Amino acid sequence: MSEQDTKTKETFLRKVQKTLPESSATDLSLISRAYDFAKSAHEGQMRASGTAYFEDHCLHVADHIIDLGMDTPLICAALLHDTIEDTKTTAKDLQKEFGLEITRLVEGVSKLGKIKYHGNERHVESLRKFFVSVAQDARVVILKLADRWHNLETLQYLPIEKQQRIALESIMIHAPLASRMGMGKLVSTINDLSFPYAYPDEYKKTKKIMDGMISNADVSIQKMHRSLSADLHNTLHYLPQIDERIKGTYSLYKKLVRKKWNTESIYDLVAIRAIVNNVSECYQALGAIHSHWRPVPGRVKDYIAVPKPNGYQSLHTAVFSGDGPIVEIQIRTQAMHDYNEYGIASHHSYKNNRVQKGSDKESFAWIEQLRELQKTNLTTNDYLTQLKTDFFQDRIFVFTPKGDVIDLPAGATILDFAYAVHGKIGEHAGGGRINGKFMALKTPLVSEQIVEIVTNPKARPSDKWLEMCITSSALTSIRRQLKKQRQTI
Ligand code: MN
């Protein structure tokens, strides 16, 4: 190792220790071994930017994983995440070296590499479900999102067509998944990095409007910030943390579209956010704010009493600032704030007993916590259930040769697949190639196979076909086509 290499590694390990002070010597030595293993596996490999693959990608992904507060197995998996896909390393090698848990994480993320969005809106939901079903473990989704996050940060080095495909894919697939897991910060990061590449004209238009609105609001926001500090200090007898959050460009764009580009009806471009000590102070603060500034009717939202489906909690109000524009104020506790930003990846949500009280939580075993979380009666249950593979046990996800995902019930055959792709393709299906090998129409499919339908102009539905498929859409089409045949005879 060169002097520079040693330094880079030391800096990384110091960051681990600083961010996760509870990590043991065993953790650190495991992370150190994963670091060395991945570095040597990627030796000589370059990124599109012309820099070293390990240092300029894998290491950044691991950094993001640490920033998200994840634990040792996931940090190791992040360092190793491209070894199966891009180097000679096999799953067997990894298992020998790092055990089953880390290997499964890397394997999961490698499988997700297959997902590609080809602009087919119809398949977006299938793609998202496929993503979750393959992941099997929510940590794999988080790892894939961190990987995508860094790829988006370095998108400028890729050819233009690739930039747009990846950006669109991220907005359609990755950001909604992050949202479902309550990882608000990651949602806006992914969307805002993608937006300029996905929709360049809309981005320019939005950015211009945004800059104008911000400079207009600036003075009154500063004024309000100051008097809010004084008010809350008076009410709570300490100065809570107050800051401004600016809405992301993509989120503003979506809102502008909803409001027909009427900027007057957008109050939350810049919102003031106060973080207080506990729930009762949230309501005290709200009272203090309303006794000073007149609230806009219908704009008070209590997401503490009624959290959003992904677990988001906060009080929102919009008030008339007097001489300036209407300003949105958000009030929440630190635990809520961490949860809103990091969702199920949030350390704090566990430590500050939002979901768990007084259990043995010294060792941070993430998946254990997930199970605990599932036992509780929070609305977060909804999306955590979505993340369980069981949920998808009755579904299979099969690829077209182009990489589109077709979502079918378990037991579906090549013929079902043909009809799911297109009625015309179904009608003239002669057979199919599963991973390149020709098979009969009645062959049942298994998740992750790549299926190509071989059409034959002479092929046509017969009564036998009704026994070769199980989906109602295929059966209905076949019956209709059979009826038509009889009429023409
Ligand atoms: Mn990667």
Side-chain angles (χ1 to χ4, degrees), residues 42 47 53 57-58 61 78 81-82 85-86 109 143-144 146-148 150-151:
H42 288 289
R47 291 202 91 209
Y53 196 89
H57 176 60
C58 309
V61 175
H81 83 273
D82 276 328
E85 214 176 333
D86 293 345
V109 99
L143 181 49
K144 188 66 204 176
D147 179 39
R148 178 52 58 113
H150 185 251
N151 284 334

Side-chain angles (χ1 to χ4, degrees), residues 37-50:
F37 187 98
K39 181 170 167 55
S40 83
H42 288 289
E43 192 68 63
Q45 197 187 340
M46 294 291 165
R47 291 202 91 209
S49 56

Side-chain angles (χ1 to χ4, degrees), residues 432-487:
R433 265 191 273 277
I434 299 180
N435 298 337
K437 201 169 157 219
F438 188 85
M439 304 292 272
L441 286 175
K442 61 177 184 198
T443 314
L445 299 172
V446 182
S447 261
E448 293 169 48
Q449 286 174 332
I450 299 169
V451 183
E452 183 183 3
I453 295 301
V454 180
T455 51
N456 174 354
K458 285 186 201 144
R460 51 205 304 237
S462 68
D463 286 331
K464 261 196 240 155
W465 279 27
L466 293 168
E467 277 137 49
M468 293 184 191
C469 55
I470 62 165
T471 55
S472 58
S473 66
L475 289 165
T476 315
S477 303
I478 294 169
R479 284 199 195 98
R480 198 184 328 113
Q481 285 156 1
L482 285 173
K483 206 170 152 197
K484 225 165 140 193
Q485 282 177 24
R486 287 193 195 105
Q487 282 165 352

